Structures are given as C-alpha cells and as structure tokens.
Amino acid sequence: MNLVSVQDLIPGMRVGVDIYNLHNQLVLPKDTVLTKEIIDKLADYSIRYVRISEEKKQPATGINRSYSQRLKSSRSFQEFKHEFISNVYVIKDEFNDVVTKNMPINVDKLLEKTATVFSKADGTNVFDMLHNMREYDDSTYVHSLNVSLICGVLAKWLNFSKEDTDTLVLAGMLHDIGKLSIPDSIIKKPGKLSKEEYAIIKTHTTKGYDILSTQTLPDAVKYAALMHHERCDGTGYPHRLKYEKIDRFARLVAIADVYDAMTSARVYRGPMSPFSVVETFEKEGLQKYDPEYILVFLEHIVNTYLNNRVLLSDGRKGEVVLINKTALSKPLIQLEDGFLDLAKHKDITIEKII
Ligand SMILES: [Fe+2]
Ligand SMILES: [Fe+2]
C-alpha cells in the first residue's frame, strides 16, 4: 500500500484503509474509488495523505488486456504515435521561428502534418488515440496538435467544406501560440496560480493575436487566437464578448480546447473519462458554448463509446449499451447481472473505458 499526498491523488485510485477526520468521523471507507470531487473534498477535511491500494497488474497478453492496452499494442496506434511525436517537433520549430524570428507561417506544412497524423487514425477513433497518448508530454505544442486534430473531427461531424475544415484545423493549431510569449515559470507552474500570474496567462490571447496579425492567414484563425477563451454567456476573456460577437471558428476552438484540457493529465489529476467530460461540460453550463456545436460535439463523443466496456465509480464493470439523449453522461450499462440506468443512479459515474 502506498502513502500518497492529496495533491498527487488521481481519480480511479482505490483507497486502501478507512479514512477518518480529526474528529474521528469516517470520511471515506476502504475501497472507495477516488473521483475528482472526492479528491477536492479531502482538502476541505484537512486530510493530507491517503493510503492507496496497489493496483493488481493485469497480464499483458490474452483476453484480459484492457481496451487501452489492446489499442496501444495495435499497429495503427504505433503508427499514429510515431507520426504524432515527429510532428510535435515540426510544430515546435515552426512556432519558435514564427514567434522569435517573425518568419512567415508555413500554412501548407502545418496542414499537411496534421492531415498525416489524422490519416493514421483513420478507421479508429481519433479520441481513443489521443486518450492513449496522455502519458506523453503535456506541452503547448502537444496541446496545439491535439486541439487541431479535435477541430478536424468537429469539421467532419459538421460536414464542413474543405476550405472551412482547413481554417478550423489551422485555428486549432495556432490558438495558443501566444503562450510562447509567457514565461515557462508560469505556464508550467505545478501549484495554484496567484491572481497576478493568472492575469499574465490570460494575455496569451491578445499576444497570440498580435503574433498572428502580421501573418498571411484567414482572419478567423487570428480571431480564434484572440477569442477562444470568450464564452457565449459573456463570462470569458479578454473582452467578455457574447455569442454573436465571438467568431464562429473561435466558438468551435473553445469546445475543442476545453475538451483537451479536461481530458489531458494535468498536474493535479489523471485524465478524465469522456463521460465525466460531458458531465463537466453540463455542470459548467452548456450556455457558455455555442448551443448548436456543443450538442453535436457531445452527442458524437458519447456515441463513439457505445459498446465499450467501462469501470464505474462503485468498482463494477459493464458495457455501454444505450445513450440517454437527455442525459448524455448517463448511459444505460449492461452489468453481469442485469442493466443499470445511470440516469436513475446519479451518484454513480463512469470512471474510465477499459
Ligand atoms: Fe488558450
Ligand atoms: Fe488551449
């Protein structure tokens, strides 16, 4: 059993012993599977360390291999990974040339690179590929490639023309380029940001727009850098714009951007299951996002996980058999001994795809 500090806990870990607070009241019983909400609460109870059961390692061969293990050992994933990683280096060089030497952006090269990575995922879900790339670097370059790939999928789902698809993919690729002008000490700071630091981070939107303003690019790409943190209800930054004032492509990049940030392994927590992502979008308020685009996006996301095996927050395993249109994050699950409608058991969530 490992003693893990609360900051290092990751959803999905299993508690090894009963946990009591200072007044000797039981806070968490043994064997609870941690969720983000539970981890956040532990700090409120002044609990600093938790004993975690060590996961039993599954054999790496045979039918017991998890979904992610199977995917990772597939040829298409290996090719995707290879292409992905080599492209991150290309993006890194390209971005640095643009930001430090003010060189013209090689749009064709960037689009071609994204298209090659995309083609490697053909036939398999790009999201599955991305979820299994999570252990790799969490840099701005990786995030940029992720967001451009997600934008490519969105464009497909929305039946965009070739021209609009290219614009959206490029907008996703370049949306955070302003982060290269923010000191690494702030971008990569592991703890909570101070008010001042957060204010500096927010300037990556205007800085990005400034960097792109002199480049030959569609205006929508420049606006996406400026407006991807604006929210349709006017709660975003830098200008608190509302729906109609936010460029259409920026509204799409916002969705891809938030999705990638939520599902990637950040300093505080492990990656989230796509169903918790949908739930988080729902909780955060769908009114923040373009109403048409967010529904298309979330519906497709959950549909891609139909028929997958999942681990539930209560430790049970089952298969997603039916998506609830009115509660996308709460599908019907087939368990070994019958069905479980998550829409009627709101306390149980899907922890991960297995
Ligand atoms: Fe951003
Ligand atoms: Fe971003």
Side-chain angles (χ1 to χ4, degrees):
M1 222 177 296
N2 290 326
L3 193 60
V4 178
S5 103
V6 168
Q7 295 99 288
D8 296 330
L9 291 174
I10 293 175
M13 284 179 165
R14 194 180 289 274
V15 177
V17 291
D18 289 342
I19 297 177
Y20 294 88
N21 65 10
L22 293 172
H23 309 289
N24 230 9
Q25 291 155 330
L26 182 66
V27 177
L28 275 186
K30 186 182 168 204
D31 281 334
T32 304
V33 177
L34 292 176
T35 60
K36 186 180 176 294
E37 290 72 28
I38 296 177
I39 296 170
D40 290 346
K41 269 211 185 97
L42 286 173
D44 300 342
Y45 288 112
S46 307
I47 288 163
R48 303 232 158 89
Y49 294 92
V50 175
R51 286 206 181 275
I52 293 296
S53 336
E54 278 174 59
E55 246 187 72
K56 291 184 194 82
K57 294 250 177 342
Q58 286 193 336
T61 53
I63 52 163
N64 282 335
R65 289 192 309 166
S66 70
Y67 176 68
S68 137
Q69 281 172 312
R70 286 194 306 277
L71 181 79
K72 280 183 183 170
S73 58
S74 71
R75 198 196 158 107
S76 52
F77 180 76
Q78 293 302 324
E79 285 179 10
F80 178 86
K81 187 172 101 177
H82 174 83
E83 212 50 60
F84 187 100
I85 292 170
S86 67
N87 279 303
V88 168
Y89 288 108
V90 175
I91 293 169
K92 192 173 182 176
D93 288 345
E94 188 70 27
F95 278 21
N96 282 303
D97 284 348
V98 169
V99 175
T100 56
K101 300 181 199 151
N102 201 19
M103 280 167 66
I105 291 182
N106 191 337
V107 170
D108 291 340
K109 186 160 120 194
L110 284 180
L111 282 176
E112 186 202 304
K113 291 292 163 192
T114 313
T116 330
V117 183
F118 206 87
S119 70
K120 295 291 174 199
D122 218 25
T124 322
N125 178 6
V126 176
F127 290 95
D128 280 347
M129 298 282 191
L130 292 181
H131 289 152
N132 285 285
M133 289 290 296
R134 292 312 190 190
E135 60 217 61
Y136 303 98
D137 195 354
D138 187 22
S139 67
T140 299
Y141 311 106
V142 171
H143 171 65
S144 303
L145 182 52
N146 285 348
V147 173
S148 76
L149 290 168
I150 298 168
C151 282
V153 181
L154 258 168
K156 215 171 166 183
W157 289 341
L158 291 163
N159 290 322
F160 270 20
S161 65
K162 164 95 175 69
E163 193 187 339
D164 280 356
T165 301
D166 284 353
T167 302
L168 184 57
V169 167
L170 210 53
M173 173 73 77
L174 297 168
H175 78 284
D176 265 346
I177 199 162
K179 281 200 177 157
L180 270 68
S181 305
I182 311 276
D184 258 7
S185 56
I186 300 180
I187 295 277
K188 292 188 176 155
K189 186 177 169 182
K192 209 173 175 235
L193 294 172
S194 69
K195 239 185 178 171
E196 294 73 24
E197 288 165 334
Y198 188 49
I200 295 173
I201 289 260
K202 284 177 162 179
T203 63
H204 78 276
T205 47
T206 44
K207 287 194 164 110
Y209 182 77
D210 290 343
I211 292 167
L212 299 182
S213 61
T214 55
Q215 297 278 346
T216 316
L217 288 168
D219 283 345
V221 175
K222 301 176 186 180
Y223 288 138
L226 180 66
M227 302 174 179
H228 67 275
H229 286 286
E230 300 288 1
R231 294 294 175 256
C232 290
D233 59 356
T235 57
Y237 66 83
H239 298 304
R240 295 185 146 264
L241 300 178
K242 283 197 173 168
Y243 172 80
E244 64 281 356
K245 296 269 185 212
I246 308 170
D247 189 88
R248 184 165 76 102
F249 288 85
R251 297 197 300 254
L252 281 160
V253 171
I255 294 172
D257 181 38
V258 170
Y259 178 82
D260 187 60
M262 279 179 189
T263 51
S264 69
R266 295 279 161 197
V267 187
Y268 304 108
R269 54 162 174 77
M272 286 162 89
S273 93
F275 291 96
S276 344
V277 168
V278 175
E279 203 171 22
T280 310
F281 265 112
E282 283 169 351
K283 262 191 220 154
E284 224 192 87
L286 294 183
Q287 73 280 4
K288 289 186 189 297
Y289 304 93
D290 185 299
E292 180 197 342
Y293 296 151
I294 191 73
L295 282 180
V296 170
F297 183 69
L298 296 182
E299 258 186 60
H300 272 88
I301 292 274
V302 290
N303 274 320
T304 50
Y305 290 96
L306 201 58
N307 303 326
N308 270 296
R309 275 186 66 72
V310 291
L311 173 69
L312 302 178
S313 55
D314 63 3
R316 286 186 286 176
K317 291 171 183 171
E319 190 180 314
V320 179
V321 285
L322 195 75
I323 302 294
N324 266 314
K325 277 251 173 193
T326 49
L328 291 170
S329 60
K330 304 281 179 198
L332 182 72
I333 306 291
Q334 183 165 23
L335 301 168
E336 267 169 29
D337 53 353
F339 292 96
L340 177 70
D341 187 355
L342 290 182
K344 293 189 184 128
H345 296 87
K346 298 240 156 70
D347 51 322
I348 305 175
T349 53
I350 294 175
E351 290 297 307
K352 62 177 177 183
I353 315 288
I354 49 175

